Amino acid sequence: MPTAPIAWRSAEVREIVVETPRAKTIRLEVPGWPGHLPGQHVDVRLTAEDGYQAQRSYSISSPPEEDGIALTVERLDDGEVSTFLTDELRAGDRLELRGPLGGYFTWTAARRGPLALVAGGSGIVPLMAMIRHRAARGSHVPTHVLCSWRTADDVIYRDELARLAAQADGLEVTHTLTRRAPVDWRGLTRRIDREMLSERLPGPDARPLSYVCGPTAMVESVATLLVSLGHAPDRIRTERFGPTGGAR
Amino acid sequence: MITRGFRNKRQRPDPSRVPPGQYVTSDFPVLSAGPTPRTSLDDWSFALRDVDGDGELATWGWKEFLALPSTPIAVDIHCVTSWSKLDTRWRGVTIDALLEAAGLDPPAPYVTAFCDGGYTTNLAVEDLLDGRGMVAYEFDGAPIEPEHGGPARLLVPHLYFWKSAKWVRGLQFMEEDEPGFWETHGYHLRGDPWKEERYAGD
């Protein structure tokens, strides 16, 4: 059965929100947007005047319940697309994008839970779409969010996560800082390890759905630890992106 | 559509080697949908399965597999997420050599590659023959690391890299082309990077 290609759409930048020194959220109006599932991404394509094009995938951070879509982009020092999006782009500009893409790393309230969401840095972005969707739908599915950041300055959506966790509707959020912590930091200060996963996330008996997103080494380590703790591999979904470091 | 303010600050990639929409990386990014499976080499086998699904046409254990004639290749690889990596070096057993060792002519025009972890991907047999597909077990002169699909992965470098199934355990012959894992999640049935066959309908 022939399928129509997913169209490139012209999206207009409505607003740019500074999240952290390295991350910005781009709110876009996308005429004809067909809707998306929390966890999906888009391909963004940039075209220079000389015809040169570059395209990259970015996760959608907004829930389907909101108008338009939001992308949260972390600036990579050697990134040709992320540096443009975080340094140059401003409200009123137009971007080409297509999507929504990726139908696997997704969760909707209809799937229930419990949920274990584990993020390394900007890996929180697709998970945030799930967290926002859960709140928008008034879902009380037990949801444990574990986020690893280098420093307190890197924490994206900090206030919103705190506000959602304060609603006492089954959402728990844990942050850990791996490099440097402010003196008044009361949270964890180490990389995600076995003990943290077993203390902060539902155990295998609860049969949680786990979504792990972040840099390769972190995702590799967390997914392997979850399996070793007894979680069923087919209930662990992973998405790896960002700088790949020395992985090869 | 020109993007205001966007300028090409990089060397334009060589269009004879880098397909449209791709950028070159020296990294080796990892993309997988779930945890990395780890199968003991004692339990590892590779099977060619007949169209009915249960008949095994041929099976090799790890040591038998390593004893098959192997071929080194140096190729460029292209991931649908838009990175390309040039001059990667692999060693493995070509599908031609596997069929020859099994004394087989392909019994059907398509295969589904099946893998530890439940991953599958579909391919036309002709995309695997004449040296275009192999089961690779070495990368850059060393065993392939588990996160990159070790102990053995399919390598079909002329298609997007999701077709080069990690942790491959065999090929199931199919009369019809039936979508595998990513193909049922919106990705293209064939995945030719030079035609930018990224998503269903491209």
Side-chain angles (χ1 to χ4, degrees), chain A residues 5-10 43-46 55 96-99, chain B residues 196 198:
Chain A
I6 304 165
W8 286 99
R9 299 172 195 280
S10 171
D43 279 1
V44 172
R45 181 168 73 183
L46 307 180
Q55 73 180 47
E96 272 187 300
L97 60 81
R98 67 175 186 159
Chain B
E196 282 203 83
R198 297 175 189 274

Side-chain angles (χ1 to χ4, degrees), chain A residues 233-234, chain B residues 32-41 43-46 49 62 113-120 146 149-153 165-170 181:
Chain A
D234 62 2
Chain B
S32 316
T36 296
R38 286 175 172 80
T39 300
S40 152
L41 294 180
D43 298 328
W44 188 93
S45 63
F46 188 91
R49 286 190 195 157
W62 182 250
F114 55 91
C115 308
D116 284 321
Y119 183 79
T120 57
R153 75 179 297 161
K166 292 177 179 178
W167 316 299
V168 71
R169 293 290 295 274
F181 177 83

Side-chain angles (χ1 to χ4, degrees), chain B residues 60-70 93 101 137:
Chain B
W60 297 269
W62 182 250
K63 280 183 185 154
E64 297 166 305
F65 198 82
L66 291 189
L68 292 169
S70 70
V93 183
Y137 51 78

